[in-house]
Short mmCIF file of all heavy atoms in Angstrom, two decimals:
data_model
loop_
_atom_site.label_atom_id
_atom_site.label_comp_id
_atom_site.label_asym_id
_atom_site.label_seq_id
_atom_site.Cartn_x
_atom_site.Cartn_y
_atom_site.Cartn_z
N GLU A 1 5.15 250.60 -22.86
CA GLU A 1 4.13 249.67 -22.38
C GLU A 1 3.85 249.91 -20.89
O GLU A 1 2.69 249.90 -20.46
CB GLU A 1 4.60 248.23 -22.60
CG GLU A 1 3.54 247.19 -22.30
CD GLU A 1 4.05 245.78 -22.53
OE1 GLU A 1 5.22 245.63 -22.92
OE2 GLU A 1 3.27 244.83 -22.30
N GLN A 2 4.91 250.17 -20.13
CA GLN A 2 4.73 250.46 -18.71
C GLN A 2 3.94 251.76 -18.49
O GLN A 2 3.05 251.83 -17.64
CB GLN A 2 6.08 250.56 -18.02
CG GLN A 2 6.85 249.25 -17.93
CD GLN A 2 8.11 249.39 -17.09
OE1 GLN A 2 8.08 250.04 -16.04
NE2 GLN A 2 9.19 248.79 -17.53
N ILE A 3 4.27 252.77 -19.26
CA ILE A 3 3.57 254.05 -19.12
C ILE A 3 2.08 253.89 -19.44
O ILE A 3 1.21 254.37 -18.69
CB ILE A 3 4.20 255.11 -20.06
CG1 ILE A 3 5.60 255.46 -19.59
CG2 ILE A 3 3.33 256.37 -20.10
CD1 ILE A 3 6.36 256.37 -20.55
N LEU A 4 1.77 253.20 -20.53
CA LEU A 4 0.37 253.00 -20.92
C LEU A 4 -0.37 252.15 -19.90
O LEU A 4 -1.56 252.37 -19.63
CB LEU A 4 0.29 252.38 -22.30
CG LEU A 4 0.80 253.27 -23.45
CD1 LEU A 4 0.78 252.50 -24.77
CD2 LEU A 4 -0.04 254.54 -23.56
N ALA A 5 0.34 251.19 -19.31
CA ALA A 5 -0.29 250.37 -18.27
C ALA A 5 -0.62 251.22 -17.06
O ALA A 5 -1.69 251.08 -16.44
CB ALA A 5 0.63 249.22 -17.88
N LEU A 6 0.28 252.12 -16.69
CA LEU A 6 0.03 253.02 -15.57
C LEU A 6 -1.13 253.96 -15.86
O LEU A 6 -1.94 254.25 -14.98
CB LEU A 6 1.30 253.82 -15.25
CG LEU A 6 2.41 253.06 -14.51
CD1 LEU A 6 3.68 253.90 -14.47
CD2 LEU A 6 1.96 252.71 -13.10
N VAL A 7 -1.20 254.46 -17.08
CA VAL A 7 -2.33 255.32 -17.47
C VAL A 7 -3.64 254.57 -17.27
O VAL A 7 -4.61 255.11 -16.72
CB VAL A 7 -2.18 255.79 -18.93
CG1 VAL A 7 -3.48 256.43 -19.43
CG2 VAL A 7 -1.04 256.78 -19.06
N GLY A 8 -3.67 253.31 -17.72
CA GLY A 8 -4.88 252.52 -17.55
C GLY A 8 -5.22 252.29 -16.09
O GLY A 8 -6.39 252.38 -15.69
N GLU A 9 -4.22 252.03 -15.27
CA GLU A 9 -4.44 251.81 -13.84
C GLU A 9 -4.98 253.07 -13.17
O GLU A 9 -5.88 253.01 -12.34
CB GLU A 9 -3.13 251.38 -13.17
CG GLU A 9 -2.68 249.98 -13.51
CD GLU A 9 -3.58 248.93 -12.91
OE1 GLU A 9 -3.78 248.93 -11.68
OE2 GLU A 9 -4.12 248.12 -13.68
N VAL A 10 -4.41 254.22 -13.53
CA VAL A 10 -4.87 255.48 -12.94
C VAL A 10 -6.31 255.77 -13.34
O VAL A 10 -7.13 256.21 -12.53
CB VAL A 10 -3.95 256.64 -13.37
CG1 VAL A 10 -4.54 257.99 -12.96
CG2 VAL A 10 -2.57 256.47 -12.75
N GLN A 11 -6.65 255.52 -14.59
CA GLN A 11 -8.01 255.76 -15.06
C GLN A 11 -9.01 254.88 -14.32
O GLN A 11 -10.09 255.33 -13.93
CB GLN A 11 -8.10 255.51 -16.57
CG GLN A 11 -7.39 256.58 -17.38
CD GLN A 11 -7.35 256.27 -18.86
OE1 GLN A 11 -7.32 255.10 -19.27
NE2 GLN A 11 -7.34 257.29 -19.69
N VAL A 12 -8.64 253.62 -14.11
CA VAL A 12 -9.52 252.71 -13.37
C VAL A 12 -9.67 253.17 -11.93
O VAL A 12 -10.78 253.20 -11.38
CB VAL A 12 -8.97 251.26 -13.42
CG1 VAL A 12 -9.73 250.37 -12.45
CG2 VAL A 12 -9.07 250.71 -14.83
N ALA A 13 -8.56 253.54 -11.31
CA ALA A 13 -8.60 254.00 -9.91
C ALA A 13 -9.43 255.27 -9.77
O ALA A 13 -10.20 255.42 -8.83
CB ALA A 13 -7.19 254.24 -9.40
N GLN A 14 -9.29 256.19 -10.74
CA GLN A 14 -10.06 257.43 -10.70
C GLN A 14 -11.55 257.16 -10.86
O GLN A 14 -12.38 257.76 -10.17
CB GLN A 14 -9.57 258.38 -11.79
CG GLN A 14 -10.36 259.68 -11.93
CD GLN A 14 -10.18 260.62 -10.76
OE1 GLN A 14 -9.44 260.31 -9.83
NE2 GLN A 14 -10.83 261.76 -10.80
N ALA A 15 -11.88 256.25 -11.77
CA ALA A 15 -13.29 255.90 -11.96
C ALA A 15 -13.87 255.26 -10.70
O ALA A 15 -14.99 255.58 -10.29
CB ALA A 15 -13.43 254.95 -13.15
N ASP A 16 -13.10 254.37 -10.08
CA ASP A 16 -13.55 253.74 -8.84
C ASP A 16 -13.77 254.78 -7.75
O ASP A 16 -14.74 254.73 -6.99
CB ASP A 16 -12.52 252.70 -8.36
CG ASP A 16 -12.51 251.46 -9.25
OD1 ASP A 16 -13.47 251.27 -10.01
OD2 ASP A 16 -11.53 250.70 -9.16
N TYR A 17 -12.86 255.75 -7.67
CA TYR A 17 -12.98 256.81 -6.66
C TYR A 17 -14.22 257.65 -6.90
O TYR A 17 -14.98 257.95 -5.97
CB TYR A 17 -11.73 257.70 -6.70
CG TYR A 17 -11.89 258.96 -5.88
CD1 TYR A 17 -11.81 258.90 -4.49
CD2 TYR A 17 -12.13 260.18 -6.48
CE1 TYR A 17 -11.96 260.05 -3.72
CE2 TYR A 17 -12.28 261.33 -5.72
CZ TYR A 17 -12.19 261.26 -4.35
OH TYR A 17 -12.35 262.39 -3.61
N GLN A 18 -14.46 258.02 -8.15
CA GLN A 18 -15.63 258.84 -8.46
C GLN A 18 -16.92 258.11 -8.10
O GLN A 18 -17.85 258.70 -7.53
CB GLN A 18 -15.65 259.20 -9.95
CG GLN A 18 -14.53 260.12 -10.40
CD GLN A 18 -14.70 261.54 -9.92
OE1 GLN A 18 -15.75 261.90 -9.38
NE2 GLN A 18 -13.68 262.36 -10.10
N LEU A 19 -16.97 256.82 -8.42
CA LEU A 19 -18.19 256.05 -8.15
C LEU A 19 -18.37 255.78 -6.66
O LEU A 19 -19.48 255.79 -6.15
CB LEU A 19 -18.14 254.72 -8.91
CG LEU A 19 -18.22 254.82 -10.43
CD1 LEU A 19 -18.02 253.45 -11.05
CD2 LEU A 19 -19.56 255.41 -10.86
N ALA A 20 -17.25 255.57 -5.96
CA ALA A 20 -17.35 255.19 -4.55
C ALA A 20 -17.46 256.37 -3.61
O ALA A 20 -18.10 256.29 -2.57
CB ALA A 20 -16.13 254.35 -4.15
N ALA A 21 -16.85 257.50 -3.97
CA ALA A 21 -16.78 258.60 -3.01
C ALA A 21 -17.31 259.91 -3.56
O ALA A 21 -18.04 260.62 -2.88
CB ALA A 21 -15.32 258.80 -2.56
N GLU A 22 -16.96 260.22 -4.80
CA GLU A 22 -17.25 261.56 -5.28
C GLU A 22 -18.72 261.77 -5.63
O GLU A 22 -19.32 262.77 -5.27
CB GLU A 22 -16.40 261.85 -6.51
CG GLU A 22 -16.45 263.29 -6.99
CD GLU A 22 -15.76 264.25 -6.05
OE1 GLU A 22 -15.14 263.78 -5.07
OE2 GLU A 22 -15.83 265.46 -6.30
N ALA A 23 -19.30 260.82 -6.35
CA ALA A 23 -20.66 261.02 -6.84
C ALA A 23 -21.68 261.23 -5.73
O ALA A 23 -22.46 262.18 -5.79
CB ALA A 23 -21.07 259.85 -7.74
N PRO A 24 -21.72 260.39 -4.69
CA PRO A 24 -22.69 260.64 -3.62
C PRO A 24 -22.49 261.99 -2.95
O PRO A 24 -23.45 262.69 -2.65
CB PRO A 24 -22.42 259.48 -2.64
CG PRO A 24 -21.82 258.41 -3.47
CD PRO A 24 -20.98 259.15 -4.48
N GLN A 25 -21.23 262.36 -2.73
CA GLN A 25 -20.95 263.64 -2.09
C GLN A 25 -21.42 264.78 -2.99
O GLN A 25 -21.96 265.78 -2.51
CB GLN A 25 -19.45 263.77 -1.82
CG GLN A 25 -19.08 265.02 -1.03
CD GLN A 25 -17.60 265.09 -0.76
OE1 GLN A 25 -16.85 264.24 -1.19
NE2 GLN A 25 -17.19 266.10 -0.03
N GLU A 26 -21.22 264.63 -4.29
CA GLU A 26 -21.65 265.67 -5.22
C GLU A 26 -23.17 265.79 -5.22
O GLU A 26 -23.71 266.90 -5.20
CB GLU A 26 -21.15 265.36 -6.62
CG GLU A 26 -21.58 266.38 -7.66
CD GLU A 26 -20.96 266.11 -9.00
OE1 GLU A 26 -19.73 266.07 -9.08
OE2 GLU A 26 -21.71 265.94 -9.97
N ARG A 27 -23.86 264.67 -5.23
CA ARG A 27 -25.33 264.73 -5.22
C ARG A 27 -25.82 265.41 -3.95
O ARG A 27 -26.78 266.19 -3.99
CB ARG A 27 -25.90 263.31 -5.33
CG ARG A 27 -25.79 262.70 -6.72
CD ARG A 27 -26.70 261.49 -6.85
NE ARG A 27 -26.33 260.44 -5.91
CZ ARG A 27 -25.46 259.48 -6.18
NH1 ARG A 27 -24.84 259.46 -7.35
NH2 ARG A 27 -25.18 258.55 -5.30
N GLU A 28 -25.18 265.11 -2.83
CA GLU A 28 -25.58 265.74 -1.57
C GLU A 28 -25.37 267.24 -1.62
O GLU A 28 -26.22 268.00 -1.15
CB GLU A 28 -24.78 265.13 -0.41
CG GLU A 28 -25.15 263.68 -0.10
CD GLU A 28 -24.21 263.07 0.92
OE1 GLU A 28 -23.36 263.80 1.46
OE2 GLU A 28 -24.32 261.85 1.18
N SER A 29 -24.28 267.69 -2.21
CA SER A 29 -24.01 269.12 -2.32
C SER A 29 -25.05 269.80 -3.21
O SER A 29 -25.53 270.90 -2.91
CB SER A 29 -22.61 269.36 -2.88
OG SER A 29 -21.63 268.88 -2.00
N ILE A 30 -25.40 269.15 -4.31
CA ILE A 30 -26.39 269.72 -5.22
C ILE A 30 -27.75 269.78 -4.55
O ILE A 30 -28.45 270.82 -4.61
CB ILE A 30 -26.46 268.89 -6.52
CG1 ILE A 30 -25.15 269.03 -7.30
CG2 ILE A 30 -27.63 269.34 -7.38
CD1 ILE A 30 -25.04 268.12 -8.49
N GLU A 31 -28.15 268.70 -3.89
CA GLU A 31 -29.44 268.68 -3.23
C GLU A 31 -29.51 269.72 -2.12
O GLU A 31 -30.52 270.43 -1.97
CB GLU A 31 -29.72 267.28 -2.67
CG GLU A 31 -29.97 266.24 -3.76
CD GLU A 31 -29.99 264.82 -3.22
OE1 GLU A 31 -29.86 264.66 -1.98
OE2 GLU A 31 -30.12 263.88 -4.02
N ARG A 32 -28.42 269.83 -1.35
CA ARG A 32 -28.39 270.84 -0.30
C ARG A 32 -28.42 272.24 -0.90
O ARG A 32 -29.09 273.14 -0.38
CB ARG A 32 -27.14 270.67 0.56
CG ARG A 32 -27.03 271.67 1.72
CD ARG A 32 -28.17 271.50 2.71
NE ARG A 32 -28.10 272.51 3.77
CZ ARG A 32 -29.02 272.65 4.72
NH1 ARG A 32 -30.07 271.84 4.77
NH2 ARG A 32 -28.89 273.58 5.63
N GLY A 33 -27.71 272.43 -2.01
CA GLY A 33 -27.71 273.73 -2.67
C GLY A 33 -29.10 274.12 -3.14
O GLY A 33 -29.52 275.28 -2.97
N ARG A 34 -29.82 273.18 -3.71
CA ARG A 34 -31.18 273.49 -4.17
C ARG A 34 -32.11 273.80 -2.99
O ARG A 34 -32.97 274.68 -3.07
CB ARG A 34 -31.74 272.32 -4.98
CG ARG A 34 -31.01 272.11 -6.30
CD ARG A 34 -31.82 271.25 -7.26
NE ARG A 34 -31.09 270.99 -8.48
CZ ARG A 34 -30.92 271.86 -9.46
NH1 ARG A 34 -31.43 273.08 -9.35
NH2 ARG A 34 -30.24 271.53 -10.54
N PHE A 35 -31.92 273.08 -1.89
CA PHE A 35 -32.75 273.33 -0.70
C PHE A 35 -32.47 274.73 -0.15
O PHE A 35 -33.40 275.49 0.13
CB PHE A 35 -32.49 272.28 0.37
CG PHE A 35 -33.17 272.57 1.68
CD1 PHE A 35 -34.54 272.37 1.83
CD2 PHE A 35 -32.45 273.07 2.76
CE1 PHE A 35 -35.18 272.66 3.03
CE2 PHE A 35 -33.08 273.36 3.96
CZ PHE A 35 -34.45 273.16 4.10
N VAL A 36 -31.20 275.06 0.02
CA VAL A 36 -30.83 276.37 0.56
C VAL A 36 -31.33 277.48 -0.37
O VAL A 36 -31.84 278.52 0.09
CB VAL A 36 -29.31 276.48 0.76
CG1 VAL A 36 -28.89 277.91 1.09
CG2 VAL A 36 -28.86 275.54 1.87
N LEU A 37 -31.20 277.26 -1.68
CA LEU A 37 -31.68 278.26 -2.64
C LEU A 37 -33.19 278.47 -2.51
O LEU A 37 -33.67 279.61 -2.53
CB LEU A 37 -31.34 277.81 -4.06
CG LEU A 37 -31.79 278.75 -5.18
CD1 LEU A 37 -31.12 280.12 -5.04
CD2 LEU A 37 -31.48 278.14 -6.55
N SER A 38 -33.94 277.39 -2.34
CA SER A 38 -35.39 277.52 -2.19
C SER A 38 -35.75 278.24 -0.91
O SER A 38 -36.71 279.04 -0.87
CB SER A 38 -36.05 276.14 -2.24
OG SER A 38 -35.71 275.37 -1.09
N GLU A 39 -34.99 278.01 0.15
CA GLU A 39 -35.25 278.69 1.42
C GLU A 39 -34.96 280.19 1.31
O GLU A 39 -35.72 281.01 1.82
CB GLU A 39 -34.38 278.06 2.52
CG GLU A 39 -34.80 276.66 2.93
CD GLU A 39 -36.14 276.65 3.65
OE1 GLU A 39 -36.24 277.26 4.73
OE2 GLU A 39 -37.09 276.04 3.11
N LEU A 40 -33.85 280.53 0.66
CA LEU A 40 -33.53 281.95 0.46
C LEU A 40 -34.59 282.64 -0.38
O LEU A 40 -35.02 283.76 -0.07
CB LEU A 40 -32.16 282.08 -0.22
CG LEU A 40 -30.92 281.76 0.61
CD1 LEU A 40 -29.67 281.84 -0.28
CD2 LEU A 40 -30.77 282.71 1.78
N THR A 41 -34.99 281.96 -1.45
CA THR A 41 -35.99 282.54 -2.34
C THR A 41 -37.30 282.79 -1.60
O THR A 41 -37.88 283.89 -1.70
CB THR A 41 -36.24 281.60 -3.53
OG1 THR A 41 -35.01 281.36 -4.22
CG2 THR A 41 -37.24 282.22 -4.51
N ALA A 42 -37.76 281.78 -0.87
CA ALA A 42 -39.03 281.92 -0.14
C ALA A 42 -38.96 283.01 0.91
O ALA A 42 -39.89 283.82 1.05
CB ALA A 42 -39.40 280.58 0.49
N ALA A 43 -37.84 283.07 1.64
CA ALA A 43 -37.70 284.07 2.70
C ALA A 43 -37.73 285.48 2.13
O ALA A 43 -38.38 286.38 2.68
CB ALA A 43 -36.41 283.83 3.48
N LEU A 44 -37.02 285.69 1.03
CA LEU A 44 -36.99 287.02 0.42
C LEU A 44 -38.36 287.40 -0.15
O LEU A 44 -38.80 288.55 -0.02
CB LEU A 44 -35.93 287.06 -0.69
CG LEU A 44 -34.47 287.03 -0.20
CD1 LEU A 44 -33.52 286.78 -1.36
CD2 LEU A 44 -34.11 288.35 0.50
N GLU A 45 -39.02 286.45 -0.77
CA GLU A 45 -40.35 286.74 -1.33
C GLU A 45 -41.33 287.10 -0.23
O GLU A 45 -42.12 288.06 -0.37
CB GLU A 45 -40.86 285.52 -2.11
CG GLU A 45 -40.12 285.30 -3.44
CD GLU A 45 -40.58 284.05 -4.15
OE1 GLU A 45 -41.27 283.21 -3.50
OE2 GLU A 45 -40.25 283.89 -5.34
#
């Protein structure tokens, strides 16, 4: 019961972390990646 309770706590904490910190950072990386890719493409063309 203790182990399963800890599993549940970790899952909740991980979900909170992803929503609070990871997702915005990931979106920023993707958006920046697309911008840099478009700049490289345009410059080479």
Side-chain angles (χ1 to χ4, degrees):
E1 187 180 0
Q2 292 187 42
I3 293 173
L4 294 175
L6 284 171
V7 168
E9 288 290 304
V10 170
Q11 289 174 329
V12 170
Q14 175 69 1
D16 289 344
Y17 169 76
Q18 294 287 351
L19 292 174
E22 189 70 6
Q25 186 178 3
E26 179 174 303
R27 286 196 298 270
E28 290 172 6
S29 296
I30 293 172
E31 290 170 3
R32 181 63 183 176
R34 293 197 183 284
F35 173 76
V36 170
L37 180 61
S38 68
E39 289 291 298
L40 288 175
T41 303
L44 289 167
E45 288 176 346

